[in-house]
PDB file of all heavy atoms in Angstrom:
ATOM      1  N   ASN A 135     134.315 153.463 -48.608  1.00 97.00           N
ATOM      2  CA  ASN A 135     135.743 153.583 -48.939  1.00 97.00           C
ATOM      3  C   ASN A 135     136.095 154.775 -49.825  1.00 97.00           C
ATOM      4  O   ASN A 135     137.100 154.738 -50.547  1.00 97.00           O
ATOM      5  CB  ASN A 135     136.241 152.287 -49.593  1.00 97.00           C
ATOM      6  CG  ASN A 135     136.027 151.072 -48.712  1.00 97.00           C
ATOM      7  OD1 ASN A 135     136.348 151.086 -47.533  1.00 97.00           O
ATOM      8  ND2 ASN A 135     135.457 150.024 -49.289  1.00 97.00           N
ATOM      9  N   ALA A 136     135.301 155.835 -49.794  1.00 97.00           N
ATOM     10  CA  ALA A 136     135.660 157.055 -50.528  1.00 97.00           C
ATOM     11  C   ALA A 136     136.681 157.839 -49.711  1.00 97.00           C
ATOM     12  O   ALA A 136     136.780 157.695 -48.488  1.00 97.00           O
ATOM     13  CB  ALA A 136     134.419 157.894 -50.804  1.00 97.00           C
ATOM     14  N   ASP A 137     137.446 158.690 -50.395  1.00 97.00           N
ATOM     15  CA  ASP A 137     138.451 159.528 -49.733  1.00 97.00           C
ATOM     16  C   ASP A 137     137.947 160.939 -49.486  1.00 97.00           C
ATOM     17  O   ASP A 137     138.312 161.569 -48.494  1.00 97.00           O
ATOM     18  CB  ASP A 137     139.723 159.612 -50.590  1.00 97.00           C
ATOM     19  CG  ASP A 137     140.345 158.253 -50.843  1.00 97.00           C
ATOM     20  OD1 ASP A 137     140.550 157.516 -49.860  1.00 97.00           O
ATOM     21  OD2 ASP A 137     140.600 157.925 -52.026  1.00 97.00           O
ATOM     22  N   GLN A 138     137.129 161.453 -50.393  1.00 97.00           N
ATOM     23  CA  GLN A 138     136.695 162.832 -50.294  1.00 97.00           C
ATOM     24  C   GLN A 138     135.314 163.004 -50.905  1.00 97.00           C
ATOM     25  O   GLN A 138     134.828 162.136 -51.632  1.00 97.00           O
ATOM     26  CB  GLN A 138     137.704 163.773 -50.969  1.00 97.00           C
ATOM     27  CG  GLN A 138     138.050 163.406 -52.402  1.00 97.00           C
ATOM     28  CD  GLN A 138     139.255 164.175 -52.938  1.00 97.00           C
ATOM     29  OE1 GLN A 138     139.994 164.824 -52.205  1.00 97.00           O
ATOM     30  NE2 GLN A 138     139.440 164.119 -54.239  1.00 97.00           N
ATOM     31  N   MET A 139     134.668 164.139 -50.576  1.00 96.00           N
ATOM     32  CA  MET A 139     133.322 164.430 -51.053  1.00 96.00           C
ATOM     33  C   MET A 139     133.355 165.718 -51.871  1.00 96.00           C
ATOM     34  O   MET A 139     133.816 166.754 -51.397  1.00 96.00           O
ATOM     35  CB  MET A 139     132.348 164.596 -49.894  1.00 96.00           C
ATOM     36  CG  MET A 139     130.942 165.014 -50.310  1.00 96.00           C
ATOM     37  SD  MET A 139     129.873 165.481 -48.921  1.00 96.00           S
ATOM     38  CE  MET A 139     129.560 163.879 -48.197  1.00 96.00           C
ATOM     39  N   LEU A 140     132.875 165.637 -53.111  1.00 96.00           N
ATOM     40  CA  LEU A 140     132.750 166.805 -53.972  1.00 96.00           C
ATOM     41  C   LEU A 140     131.311 167.300 -53.884  1.00 96.00           C
ATOM     42  O   LEU A 140     130.395 166.659 -54.403  1.00 96.00           O
ATOM     43  CB  LEU A 140     133.125 166.447 -55.412  1.00 96.00           C
ATOM     44  CG  LEU A 140     133.045 167.592 -56.438  1.00 96.00           C
ATOM     45  CD1 LEU A 140     134.078 168.676 -56.116  1.00 96.00           C
ATOM     46  CD2 LEU A 140     133.276 167.065 -57.858  1.00 96.00           C
ATOM     47  N   ILE A 141     131.105 168.422 -53.203  1.00 95.00           N
ATOM     48  CA  ILE A 141     129.778 169.005 -53.030  1.00 95.00           C
ATOM     49  C   ILE A 141     129.544 169.992 -54.170  1.00 95.00           C
ATOM     50  O   ILE A 141     130.245 170.995 -54.284  1.00 95.00           O
ATOM     51  CB  ILE A 141     129.669 169.721 -51.676  1.00 95.00           C
ATOM     52  CG1 ILE A 141     130.001 168.764 -50.533  1.00 95.00           C
ATOM     53  CG2 ILE A 141     128.281 170.326 -51.497  1.00 95.00           C
ATOM     54  CD1 ILE A 141     130.155 169.437 -49.185  1.00 95.00           C
ATOM     55  N   VAL A 142     128.581 169.679 -55.013  1.00 95.00           N
ATOM     56  CA  VAL A 142     128.309 170.515 -56.187  1.00 95.00           C
ATOM     57  C   VAL A 142     127.059 171.337 -55.908  1.00 95.00           C
ATOM     58  O   VAL A 142     126.003 170.803 -55.575  1.00 95.00           O
ATOM     59  CB  VAL A 142     128.110 169.658 -57.455  1.00 95.00           C
ATOM     60  CG1 VAL A 142     127.940 170.547 -58.676  1.00 95.00           C
ATOM     61  CG2 VAL A 142     129.298 168.714 -57.647  1.00 95.00           C
ATOM     62  N   VAL A 143     127.178 172.654 -56.052  1.00 94.00           N
ATOM     63  CA  VAL A 143     126.061 173.560 -55.808  1.00 94.00           C
ATOM     64  C   VAL A 143     126.091 174.649 -56.875  1.00 94.00           C
ATOM     65  O   VAL A 143     127.163 175.086 -57.296  1.00 94.00           O
ATOM     66  CB  VAL A 143     126.141 174.179 -54.388  1.00 94.00           C
ATOM     67  CG1 VAL A 143     127.456 174.895 -54.168  1.00 94.00           C
ATOM     68  CG2 VAL A 143     124.975 175.108 -54.121  1.00 94.00           C
ATOM     69  N   ALA A 144     124.925 175.065 -57.350  1.00 95.00           N
ATOM     70  CA  ALA A 144     124.836 176.101 -58.368  1.00 95.00           C
ATOM     71  C   ALA A 144     124.751 177.474 -57.714  1.00 95.00           C
ATOM     72  O   ALA A 144     124.121 177.638 -56.663  1.00 95.00           O
ATOM     73  CB  ALA A 144     123.616 175.872 -59.263  1.00 95.00           C
ATOM     74  N   ALA A 145     125.386 178.462 -58.346  1.00 95.00           N
ATOM     75  CA  ALA A 145     125.261 179.831 -57.852  1.00 95.00           C
ATOM     76  C   ALA A 145     123.847 180.360 -58.057  1.00 95.00           C
ATOM     77  O   ALA A 145     123.401 181.259 -57.338  1.00 95.00           O
ATOM     78  CB  ALA A 145     126.275 180.730 -58.566  1.00 95.00           C
ATOM     79  N   ALA A 146     123.133 179.813 -59.020  1.00 94.00           N
ATOM     80  CA  ALA A 146     121.739 180.184 -59.299  1.00 94.00           C
ATOM     81  C   ALA A 146     121.112 179.104 -60.172  1.00 94.00           C
ATOM     82  O   ALA A 146     121.822 178.344 -60.836  1.00 94.00           O
ATOM     83  CB  ALA A 146     121.662 181.537 -59.997  1.00 94.00           C
ATOM     84  N   ASP A 147     119.753 179.054 -60.139  1.00 90.00           N
ATOM     85  CA  ASP A 147     119.009 178.151 -61.021  1.00 90.00           C
ATOM     86  C   ASP A 147     119.434 176.681 -60.891  1.00 90.00           C
ATOM     87  O   ASP A 147     120.000 176.136 -61.842  1.00 90.00           O
ATOM     88  CB  ASP A 147     119.138 178.628 -62.473  1.00 90.00           C
ATOM     89  CG  ASP A 147     118.172 177.899 -63.406  1.00 90.00           C
ATOM     90  OD1 ASP A 147     117.079 177.541 -62.917  1.00 90.00           O
ATOM     91  OD2 ASP A 147     118.519 177.682 -64.583  1.00 90.00           O
ATOM     92  N   PRO A 148     119.161 176.038 -59.758  1.00 90.00           N
ATOM     93  CA  PRO A 148     118.397 176.498 -58.586  1.00 90.00           C
ATOM     94  C   PRO A 148     119.251 177.297 -57.603  1.00 90.00           C
ATOM     95  O   PRO A 148     120.483 177.190 -57.619  1.00 90.00           O
ATOM     96  CB  PRO A 148     117.929 175.185 -57.953  1.00 90.00           C
ATOM     97  CG  PRO A 148     119.025 174.223 -58.287  1.00 90.00           C
ATOM     98  CD  PRO A 148     119.489 174.603 -59.673  1.00 90.00           C
ATOM     99  N   GLU A 149     118.581 178.078 -56.770  1.00 91.00           N
ATOM    100  CA  GLU A 149     119.274 178.901 -55.799  1.00 91.00           C
ATOM    101  C   GLU A 149     120.020 178.018 -54.794  1.00 91.00           C
ATOM    102  O   GLU A 149     119.519 176.964 -54.389  1.00 91.00           O
ATOM    103  CB  GLU A 149     118.282 179.798 -55.053  1.00 91.00           C
ATOM    104  CG  GLU A 149     117.630 180.859 -55.923  1.00 91.00           C
ATOM    105  CD  GLU A 149     118.650 181.837 -56.490  1.00 91.00           C
ATOM    106  OE1 GLU A 149     119.560 182.251 -55.731  1.00 91.00           O
ATOM    107  OE2 GLU A 149     118.558 182.170 -57.688  1.00 91.00           O
ATOM    108  N   PRO A 150     121.207 178.430 -54.378  1.00 92.00           N
ATOM    109  CA  PRO A 150     121.968 177.628 -53.408  1.00 92.00           C
ATOM    110  C   PRO A 150     121.301 177.650 -52.033  1.00 92.00           C
ATOM    111  O   PRO A 150     120.717 178.660 -51.635  1.00 92.00           O
ATOM    112  CB  PRO A 150     123.334 178.319 -53.375  1.00 92.00           C
ATOM    113  CG  PRO A 150     123.058 179.733 -53.785  1.00 92.00           C
ATOM    114  CD  PRO A 150     121.938 179.654 -54.779  1.00 92.00           C
ATOM    115  N   ARG A 151     121.392 176.537 -51.326  1.00 89.00           N
ATOM    116  CA  ARG A 151     120.796 176.398 -49.999  1.00 89.00           C
ATOM    117  C   ARG A 151     121.910 176.138 -48.988  1.00 89.00           C
ATOM    118  O   ARG A 151     122.512 175.073 -48.960  1.00 89.00           O
ATOM    119  CB  ARG A 151     119.779 175.256 -49.996  1.00 89.00           C
ATOM    120  CG  ARG A 151     118.580 175.487 -50.895  1.00 89.00           C
ATOM    121  CD  ARG A 151     117.826 174.200 -51.188  1.00 89.00           C
ATOM    122  NE  ARG A 151     117.473 173.479 -49.973  1.00 89.00           N
ATOM    123  CZ  ARG A 151     116.961 172.244 -49.969  1.00 89.00           C
ATOM    124  NH1 ARG A 151     116.770 171.616 -51.127  1.00 89.00           N
ATOM    125  NH2 ARG A 151     116.667 171.647 -48.828  1.00 89.00           N
ATOM    126  N   THR A 152     122.165 177.159 -48.165  1.00 91.00           N
ATOM    127  CA  THR A 152     123.261 177.071 -47.206  1.00 91.00           C
ATOM    128  C   THR A 152     123.084 175.900 -46.257  1.00 91.00           C
ATOM    129  O   THR A 152     124.041 175.166 -45.963  1.00 91.00           O
ATOM    130  CB  THR A 152     123.361 178.379 -46.403  1.00 91.00           C
ATOM    131  OG1 THR A 152     123.481 179.484 -47.299  1.00 91.00           O
ATOM    132  CG2 THR A 152     124.569 178.351 -45.480  1.00 91.00           C
ATOM    133  N   ARG A 153     121.858 175.692 -45.760  1.00 88.00           N
ATOM    134  CA  ARG A 153     121.632 174.624 -44.801  1.00 88.00           C
ATOM    135  C   ARG A 153     121.832 173.240 -45.414  1.00 88.00           C
ATOM    136  O   ARG A 153     122.239 172.308 -44.721  1.00 88.00           O
ATOM    137  CB  ARG A 153     120.219 174.746 -44.209  1.00 88.00           C
ATOM    138  CG  ARG A 153     120.067 175.920 -43.233  1.00 88.00           C
ATOM    139  CD  ARG A 153     121.010 175.757 -42.047  1.00 88.00           C
ATOM    140  NE  ARG A 153     120.930 176.851 -41.118  1.00 88.00           N
ATOM    141  CZ  ARG A 153     120.121 176.885 -40.062  1.00 88.00           C
ATOM    142  NH1 ARG A 153     119.319 175.858 -39.826  1.00 88.00           N
ATOM    143  NH2 ARG A 153     120.134 177.908 -39.248  1.00 88.00           N
ATOM    144  N   LEU A 154     121.526 173.077 -46.696  1.00 88.00           N
ATOM    145  CA  LEU A 154     121.776 171.791 -47.340  1.00 88.00           C
ATOM    146  C   LEU A 154     123.280 171.528 -47.437  1.00 88.00           C
ATOM    147  O   LEU A 154     123.737 170.406 -47.209  1.00 88.00           O
ATOM    148  CB  LEU A 154     121.146 171.746 -48.732  1.00 88.00           C
ATOM    149  CG  LEU A 154     121.350 170.439 -49.515  1.00 88.00           C
ATOM    150  CD1 LEU A 154     120.776 169.243 -48.755  1.00 88.00           C
ATOM    151  CD2 LEU A 154     120.720 170.530 -50.907  1.00 88.00           C
ATOM    152  N   ILE A 155     124.055 172.578 -47.748  1.00 91.00           N
ATOM    153  CA  ILE A 155     125.512 172.418 -47.782  1.00 91.00           C
ATOM    154  C   ILE A 155     126.022 172.038 -46.401  1.00 91.00           C
ATOM    155  O   ILE A 155     126.927 171.196 -46.260  1.00 91.00           O
ATOM    156  CB  ILE A 155     126.190 173.708 -48.281  1.00 91.00           C
ATOM    157  CG1 ILE A 155     125.614 174.135 -49.625  1.00 91.00           C
ATOM    158  CG2 ILE A 155     127.703 173.500 -48.385  1.00 91.00           C
ATOM    159  CD1 ILE A 155     125.657 173.084 -50.690  1.00 91.00           C
ATOM    160  N   ASP A 156     125.462 172.650 -45.358  1.00 90.00           N
ATOM    161  CA  ASP A 156     125.857 172.283 -43.996  1.00 90.00           C
ATOM    162  C   ASP A 156     125.580 170.809 -43.722  1.00 90.00           C
ATOM    163  O   ASP A 156     126.361 170.133 -43.050  1.00 90.00           O
ATOM    164  CB  ASP A 156     125.107 173.145 -42.984  1.00 90.00           C
ATOM    165  CG  ASP A 156     125.671 174.555 -42.882  1.00 90.00           C
ATOM    166  OD1 ASP A 156     126.812 174.766 -43.349  1.00 90.00           O
ATOM    167  OD2 ASP A 156     124.985 175.445 -42.360  1.00 90.00           O
ATOM    168  N   ARG A 157     124.475 170.298 -44.227  1.00 87.00           N
ATOM    169  CA  ARG A 157     124.165 168.878 -44.049  1.00 87.00           C
ATOM    170  C   ARG A 157     125.203 168.004 -44.741  1.00 87.00           C
ATOM    171  O   ARG A 157     125.644 166.981 -44.195  1.00 87.00           O
ATOM    172  CB  ARG A 157     122.765 168.572 -44.581  1.00 87.00           C
ATOM    173  CG  ARG A 157     121.651 169.116 -43.704  1.00 87.00           C
ATOM    174  CD  ARG A 157     120.275 168.805 -44.280  1.00 87.00           C
ATOM    175  NE  ARG A 157     119.246 169.216 -43.338  1.00 87.00           N
ATOM    176  CZ  ARG A 157     118.802 168.461 -42.341  1.00 87.00           C
ATOM    177  NH1 ARG A 157     119.286 167.233 -42.193  1.00 87.00           N
ATOM    178  NH2 ARG A 157     117.891 168.893 -41.510  1.00 87.00           N
ATOM    179  N   TYR A 158     125.580 168.385 -45.955  1.00 89.00           N
ATOM    180  CA  TYR A 158     126.623 167.629 -46.644  1.00 89.00           C
ATOM    181  C   TYR A 158     127.929 167.663 -45.850  1.00 89.00           C
ATOM    182  O   TYR A 158     128.630 166.647 -45.736  1.00 89.00           O
ATOM    183  CB  TYR A 158     126.859 168.205 -48.036  1.00 89.00           C
ATOM    184  CG  TYR A 158     125.744 167.974 -49.028  1.00 89.00           C
ATOM    185  CD1 TYR A 158     125.393 168.961 -49.957  1.00 89.00           C
ATOM    186  CD2 TYR A 158     125.035 166.780 -49.063  1.00 89.00           C
ATOM    187  CE1 TYR A 158     124.375 168.757 -50.882  1.00 89.00           C
ATOM    188  CE2 TYR A 158     124.020 166.572 -49.977  1.00 89.00           C
ATOM    189  CZ  TYR A 158     123.695 167.564 -50.881  1.00 89.00           C
ATOM    190  OH  TYR A 158     122.683 167.355 -51.790  1.00 89.00           O
ATOM    191  N   LEU A 159     128.262 168.840 -45.316  1.00 91.00           N
ATOM    192  CA  LEU A 159     129.505 168.970 -44.557  1.00 91.00           C
ATOM    193  C   LEU A 159     129.463 168.103 -43.296  1.00 91.00           C
ATOM    194  O   LEU A 159     130.442 167.426 -42.967  1.00 91.00           O
ATOM    195  CB  LEU A 159     129.742 170.432 -44.184  1.00 91.00           C
ATOM    196  CG  LEU A 159     130.099 171.374 -45.339  1.00 91.00           C
ATOM    197  CD1 LEU A 159     130.147 172.823 -44.854  1.00 91.00           C
ATOM    198  CD2 LEU A 159     131.439 171.000 -45.967  1.00 91.00           C
ATOM    199  N   VAL A 160     128.330 168.106 -42.593  1.00 88.00           N
ATOM    200  CA  VAL A 160     128.196 167.275 -41.398  1.00 88.00           C
ATOM    201  C   VAL A 160     128.361 165.799 -41.763  1.00 88.00           C
ATOM    202  O   VAL A 160     129.045 165.045 -41.063  1.00 88.00           O
ATOM    203  CB  VAL A 160     126.839 167.536 -40.719  1.00 88.00           C
ATOM    204  CG1 VAL A 160     126.556 166.462 -39.664  1.00 88.00           C
ATOM    205  CG2 VAL A 160     126.815 168.908 -40.072  1.00 88.00           C
TER     206      VAL A 160
END
Side-chain angles (χ1 to χ4, degrees):
N135 302 312
D137 300 309
Q138 53 192 12
M139 175 190 287
L140 180 65
I141 304 170
V142 184
V143 56
D147 191 32
E149 293 298 318
R151 296 163 53 189
T152 305
R153 288 299 179 92
L154 180 59
I155 306 306
D156 283 344
R157 288 179 174 274
Y158 290 142
L159 290 173
V160 167

